[in-house]
């Protein structure tokens, strides 16, 4: 499989987005106060690394299989650490981190939605669509975390 210049540029741009997510989740997992949020950020960082690696495989000429996981967000049920009414400094800080990551996930999902149409290869489009769904799942998981902790 040979990618066009436009396709190559799109994949490299998406990899840059994934690198940013990997770095952000790594830094935010170190800053988060709530162990539940730390674990969520750690899990999401692993997912973003997998996305980055999958895009690298496309650049190398092969398309990895995808699992089309659209249940991860739906099935995520975090436990509450913070009570619904108080706003401690730790809760405010964790709320900021989760909210910022929701915005990032929305932006990255939008990039996948736009870039999927650059490709003629249906396997690549399927992979990008799968990653987009996973990015949406990440935002849903973060939103559920905020909701259960009285942050939304």
């Amino acid at each position: 499989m040979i990618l066009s210049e436009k396709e190559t540029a799109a994949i490299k741009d998406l990899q840059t987005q994934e690198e940013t997510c990997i770095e952000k989740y790594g830094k935010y997992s170190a800053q988060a106060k709530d162990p539940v949020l730390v674990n969520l950020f750690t899990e999401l960082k692993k997912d973003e690394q997998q996305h980055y690696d999958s895009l690298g495989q496309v650049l190398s000429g092969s398309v990895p299989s995808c699992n089309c996981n659209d249940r991860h967000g739906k099935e995520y049920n975090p436990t509450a650490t913070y009570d619904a009414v108080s706003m401690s400094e730790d809760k405010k800080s964790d709320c900021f981190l989760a909210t910022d990551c929701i915005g990032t996930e929305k932006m990255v999902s939008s990039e996948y939605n736009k870039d999927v149409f650059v490709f003629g290869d249906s396997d690549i489009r399927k992979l990008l669509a799968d990653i987009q769904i996973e990015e949406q799942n990440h935002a849903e998981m973060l939103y559920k975390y905020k909701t259960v902790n009285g942050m939304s």
Side-chain angles (χ1 to χ4, degrees), residues 1-119:
M1 171 187 64
I2 299 174
L3 298 174
S4 70
E5 284 183 44
K6 187 174 182 178
E7 290 170 331
T8 300
I11 293 292
K12 287 181 178 179
D13 182 52
L14 290 170
Q15 274 193 313
T16 299
Q17 300 298 327
E18 296 296 346
E19 281 179 314
T20 300
C21 290
I22 293 164
E23 184 176 343
K24 181 178 277 193
Y25 285 128
K27 287 181 178 183
Y28 282 13
S29 67
Q31 293 176 29
K33 309 299 183 202
D34 177 6
V36 174
L37 187 57
V38 170
N39 289 338
L40 178 57
F41 285 154
T42 301
E43 180 181 341
L44 298 179
K45 180 183 176 187
K46 288 177 190 173
D47 288 350
E48 302 296 0
Q49 183 66 55
Q50 185 177 19
H51 297 165
Y52 180 87
D53 294 343
S54 293
L55 295 170
Q57 288 180 13
V58 172
L59 288 174
S60 297
S62 65
V63 182
S65 62
C66 55
N67 64 2
C68 297
N69 174 10
D70 62 352
R71 297 178 320 277
H72 205 104
K74 180 180 177 181
E75 294 173 354
Y76 180 69
N77 292 306
T79 56
T81 300
Y82 300 108
D83 66 56
V85 286
S86 70
M87 277 307 268
S88 68
E89 289 304 311
D90 286 354
K91 182 177 176 180
K92 287 178 188 176
S93 176
D94 284 350
C95 179
F96 171 82
L97 298 175
T99 301
D100 183 56
C101 289
I102 289 171
T104 299
E105 292 294 349
K106 287 174 153 180
M107 189 270 308
V108 173
S109 176
S110 175
E111 287 298 311
Y112 278 97
N113 186 52
K114 178 183 65 119
D115 286 344
V116 72
F117 296 106
V118 170
F119 296 88

Side-chain angles (χ1 to χ4, degrees), residues 127-150:
L127 174 68
L128 297 182
D130 180 55
I131 294 173
Q132 181 194 24
I133 289 169
E134 291 178 3
E135 301 295 358
Q136 292 171 6
N137 285 338
H138 295 169
E140 181 178 5
M141 293 164 77
L142 290 158
Y143 180 77
K144 284 183 173 183
Y145 170 82
K146 285 182 60 178
T147 300
V148 77
N149 282 289

